[in-house]
Amino acid sequence: MKLGRERSWFRFNHRVLLTARRDDVPLLEKLRYLAIFAANTDEFFSARVYRLFRASRERPRVPREYRALLGEVQAYVREARELFGELRPRLEAAGLRLLEPRQLSATEARYFGAYLAEEVAPKTDLLDAAQVHDLSSGALYFAAGHRRLRYLLRQPEQRRFLPVPGRPGAFVRLGALVRARSDLFLPEPMPMYELRLTRIAQLEAARMDWEELPLALETRLDGAPSRLELEAGFPWRTALARSLELLDDEVFEQPPPLDLRALFELADLEVPGLRFPPLRPRRRRGFASDPFACLRGRDVTLYHPRDDFGQVVGFARAAARDPGVRRLRATLYRVGRENPILDALIEAADRGKEVEVLLEGRARFDELVNLYWRLHFEGHGVRVLDYPPGAKVHAKLFLVEAEHGVYAHLGTGNYNPHNGRLYTDLSYFTARPELTADVAGYFDALAAGRTPEPKTLASGPAARELLLAKIAAVARDRGEVIVKVNHLTDARLLRALAAAADRGARVRLVVRSTLTALHPRFESISLVGRFLEHARLAAFRTAEGWEVWASSADWMERNFDRRLEVFFPIADALARERLLRLLRAQLADDVNAFVLEADGAQRPRWAGKRDSQRRLL
């Protein structure tokens, strides 16, 4: 069976929603999964749906695939709202009350009236209804009027659930307060209804350089409307949808609050017993104290977040402060506004070391943060390489060149410590000359404006050919391949896996999000648990034994044809064996797993005790 990539991805989002129903998930973590579902849905309608959305506007008839997808999404959104309604009594029983304004005392009501007047009203924009085409993507609005729509009131970007002073555990929603005190916002009393618009944010940035990027960000604000969320009973639905040129199924009516991402505010509350217990990650003692001495003796493999991501930060800091280190080089992608790894690179430059970075400025929705870091780097003498036109750089490489050796970190995830606490990712540290020489050559090529052509590592179309050859080598009885990725959509690789399965090989897939071909002989699961599965691994059982590869890339066409990624072999025998045990544990997981059936169904496998996310490497 084949699935469109958009439909397959949104079924992953449904798995996130279903996880909120697990009995073993604490109450506030259930709210977090609901908030993640909402955030994912926003991303879907601003970016991932673009192909089908565009086709629906360019063709005489709306594609059947798009209509079916919208119907499925409508059903999942209704399910999310129903679940939130089911959780509200449980929140109250746990001491967390979500109050309506009418439940406030007179004194509390006066306090919040003053709060609205001082903190909210000055930051609120009142627009004429004729400005409906100027609605900002993702912002919350009120529509107000009697028989016809008169005003649009934009709510400011503030906390949505406000704590009630003197009542621990009690909150009132900002939107409900605004409605209750409309006299502070509207020139006359009139009914108010919440609405929220999502726009396509399709930034054509593949060939942009650093100078063109700021202007491109300004133009992204004008994307076409792709989804309209309305409070149930919204009286101007038909006229507003027609004005915004939206299909009926692109309009979602639901009770307030419209934006369930606000549940992150409640999910972050420190309430004993209502959240997952604190994570106590492992630190490798010898590596943490002196990473370079350790690597001169052996490779080090970490699996985050069970292995502390702080050790990656420590590696960068050690390089910055070691007087024997001459040069540091790194590829950077989605690094966040605060990042001690980038601080370490700046510290190294301040200490007189040569520092060179490929900061991928075109990472979608992170462009402004990347512009911020570029200014910081250049202000401290860090050389920011020009990124190659036509290809994003998504490789995760960090190279340290010192008098006492050359050391490399190769990873499956970004150099982002915040994500390092939430995502499962692999870090592979090595001083092996064949690997460090390839990493150095990769940076040399980027600095010279050339496409890297590594020998031991693999990148670009050559990486696809490598994987095709590895799959072909196991396409026999007793052959086996295990693939762990977030997205598996490359048509040639899927055909090769299907052919291997038909020839008797065992094909086992751990695919978090998008799998566009389901074969009767594939053993396919998706893991959705406390941590976001993000590592990319592949293991091949050949006649000579097991090979294990890791990569920065999912198995998608763009990652081989339009991105610069890195696939790297796990050269250390002990690390290979440990990763194989991890992969087998994930395939046997019966706490976080969904079995992806050949007919497109996804069956939860939750009843057991084998939780692979609790396993140390």
Side-chain angles (χ1 to χ4, degrees):
M1 178 181 179
K2 292 185 177 180
L3 282 176
R5 64 175 184 261
E6 297 86 358
R7 193 174 189 183
S8 179
W9 186 90
F10 211 91
R11 287 188 176 182
F12 155 69
N13 200 26
H14 188 221
R15 295 194 287 275
V16 172
L17 176 61
L18 290 173
T19 302
R21 294 189 177 277
R22 275 174 42 177
D23 293 338
D24 61 336
V25 171
L27 182 57
L28 291 184
E29 303 296 349
K30 291 177 182 290
L31 296 186
R32 192 182 309 280
Y33 284 117
L34 271 175
I36 293 170
F37 172 84
N40 286 347
T41 304
D42 281 2
E43 179 189 346
F44 181 78
F45 279 103
S46 64
R48 294 187 180 274
V49 80
Y50 177 70
R51 180 183 68 91
L52 291 176
F53 175 84
R54 184 178 63 182
S56 73
R57 270 53 183 179
E58 293 177 348
R59 298 179 188 176
R61 300 181 64 179
V62 177
R64 184 182 304 174
E65 179 186 4
Y66 188 43
R67 285 204 179 276
L69 172 64
L70 289 173
E72 202 166 312
V73 173
Q74 287 273 4
Y76 296 154
V77 169
R78 286 193 297 271
E79 184 178 345
R81 305 302 307 200
E82 291 167 2
L83 178 56
F84 179 54
E86 294 169 13
L87 293 178
R88 290 192 66 165
R90 295 181 59 180
L91 288 169
E92 186 155 345
L96 299 174
R97 300 186 64 199
L98 306 182
L99 303 178
E100 295 297 328
R102 65 178 181 274
Q103 297 174 287
L104 298 173
S105 70
T107 304
E108 291 166 344
R110 285 194 295 271
Y111 164 77
F112 280 113
Y115 175 85
L116 293 175
E118 292 290 321
E119 299 293 335
V120 181
K123 304 172 185 175
T124 302
D125 297 325
L126 184 63
L127 309 175
D128 186 85
Q131 295 175 270
V132 66
H133 294 282
D134 297 329
L135 295 180
S136 297
S137 184
L140 279 171
Y141 290 85
F142 274 106
H146 292 291
R147 295 186 63 182
R148 66 183 181 88
L149 177 61
R150 290 280 306 279
Y151 300 107
L152 296 165
L153 183 73
R154 176 172 175 165
Q155 300 182 43
E157 296 293 329
Q158 294 179 243
R159 284 187 64 90
R160 298 298 168 188
F161 293 101
L162 304 176
V164 180
R167 278 213 249 181
F171 299 84
V172 62
R173 191 169 61 86
L174 177 61
L177 289 170
V178 171
R179 191 198 305 265
R181 291 299 311 271
S182 62
D183 58 299
L184 295 172
F185 302 94
L186 297 176
E188 60 182 282
M190 58 185 67
M192 301 173 69
Y193 302 87
E194 294 189 26
L195 76 151
R196 185 169 179 261
L197 185 69
T198 307
R199 295 179 180 272
I200 292 289
Q202 183 67 17
L203 183 68
E204 297 293 345
R207 294 185 179 276
M208 291 175 188
D209 61 24
W210 282 109
E211 304 307 320
E212 297 169 326
L213 191 57
L215 179 60
L217 292 180
E218 295 177 19
T219 62
R220 184 164 67 183
L221 300 176
D222 299 325
S226 57
R227 175 186 58 162
L228 179 63
E229 297 171 89
L230 301 174
E231 180 178 344
F234 191 93
W236 307 287
R237 169 180 170 145
T238 301
L240 188 56
R242 185 185 303 118
S243 176
L244 295 171
E245 300 181 343
L246 288 165
L247 305 175
D248 189 61
D249 282 342
E250 291 170 336
V251 181
F252 292 73
E253 280 198 48
Q254 51 206 301
L258 295 189
D259 186 2
L260 289 185
R261 293 179 306 164
L263 295 179
F264 280 123
E265 297 172 12
L266 301 178
D268 287 338
L269 295 173
E270 296 290 346
V271 183
L274 298 188
R275 292 179 55 183
F276 289 127
L279 177 67
R280 293 180 174 82
R282 177 179 64 176
R283 292 181 66 82
R284 306 288 180 88
R285 292 182 181 177
F287 180 74
S289 60
D290 190 344
F292 305 126
C294 185
L295 291 176
R296 288 195 291 272
R298 58 181 174 86
D299 295 348
V300 171
T301 309
L302 306 179
Y303 197 72
H304 311 296
R306 289 293 173 185
D307 282 316
D308 188 2
F309 192 84
Q311 294 166 102
V312 182
V313 177
F315 178 78
R317 285 175 174 161
R321 297 167 186 175
D322 186 326
V325 170
R326 301 186 303 270
R327 180 159 69 166
L328 294 80
R329 311 169 89 176
T331 56
L332 303 173
Y333 191 93
R334 295 200 188 282
V335 292
R337 180 60 69 99
E338 296 181 0
N339 192 315
I341 295 176
L342 275 63
D343 292 340
L345 291 169
I346 289 174
E347 180 183 347
D350 290 343
R351 289 173 177 265
K353 302 180 191 301
E354 183 181 348
V355 182
E356 190 174 80
V357 300
L358 193 298
L359 175 63
E360 179 48 79
R362 300 159 295 181
R364 187 171 59 201
F365 305 129
D366 276 7
E367 298 93 348
L368 187 60
V369 171
N370 294 328
L371 288 166
Y372 165 88
W373 276 111
R374 182 200 177 198
L375 290 173
H376 270 286
F377 281 142
E378 293 183 341
H380 288 267
V382 174
R383 181 187 179 193
V384 180
L385 300 177
D386 292 331
Y387 39 68
K392 284 185 179 179
V393 179
H394 193 251
K396 323 298 182 189
L397 300 171
F398 196 116
L399 188 70
V400 176
E401 299 175 7
E403 297 170 357
H404 45 71
V406 181
Y407 314 90
H409 171 274
L410 303 95
T412 64
N414 299 320
Y415 292 108
N416 186 321
H418 175 73
N419 292 348
R421 295 189 294 270
L422 304 174
Y423 294 10
T424 71
D425 267 310
L426 178 75
S427 280
Y428 187 52
F429 297 89
T430 185
R432 293 174 183 266
E434 68 274 19
L435 294 178
T436 58
D438 253 9
V439 174
Y442 202 99
F443 281 107
D444 290 341
L446 293 176
R450 294 183 284 105
T451 299
E453 297 180 356
K455 299 176 182 177
T456 304
L457 311 177
S459 183
R464 181 193 283 116
E465 296 304 319
L466 172 94
L467 295 174
L468 289 170
K470 300 295 182 187
I471 295 168
V474 301
R476 54 179 175 76
D477 286 334
R478 300 182 63 80
E480 185 174 350
V481 56
I482 304 172
V483 179
K484 174 183 170 55
V485 288
N486 307 315
H487 309 284
L488 177 45
T489 63
D490 185 274
R492 290 182 64 193
L493 289 169
L494 282 165
R495 286 196 297 269
L497 290 169
D502 289 338
R503 292 183 185 129
R506 192 176 189 186
V507 176
R508 311 174 79 185
L509 308 177
V510 183
V511 181
R512 186 197 73 200
S513 298
T514 315
L515 177 59
T516 53
L518 298 161
H519 188 282
R521 295 195 62 177
F522 287 174
E523 300 172 41
S524 306
I525 66 166
S526 173
L527 296 177
V528 181
R530 174 177 180 177
F531 308 115
L532 181 73
E533 294 290 335
H534 194 256
R536 291 96 167 195
L537 300 166
F540 307 91
R541 187 170 69 180
T542 69
E544 290 75 32
W546 281 96
E547 288 188 38
V548 179
W549 286 71
S551 72
S552 61
D554 290 308
W555 291 20
M556 306 167 69
E557 286 89 345
R558 71 174 189 191
N559 294 341
F560 299 104
D561 300 329
R562 300 188 300 280
R563 283 192 174 189
L564 294 179
E565 305 271 9
V566 166
F567 288 74
F568 54 95
I570 304 301
D572 182 79
L574 179 59
R576 279 199 305 273
E577 183 55 39
R578 287 175 171 172
L579 287 171
L580 280 169
R581 287 201 298 266
L582 174 70
L583 289 170
R584 293 185 183 115
Q586 293 189 343
L587 289 163
D589 190 306
D590 54 14
V591 173
N592 309 297
F594 289 82
V595 178
L596 307 180
E597 307 282 9
D599 62 359
Q602 47 189 29
R603 175 172 53 83
R605 192 172 70 192
W606 293 342
K609 298 181 179 179
R610 292 174 291 188
D611 183 350
S612 63
Q613 290 201 341
R614 297 176 64 87
R615 186 183 182 91
L616 289 168
L617 190 63

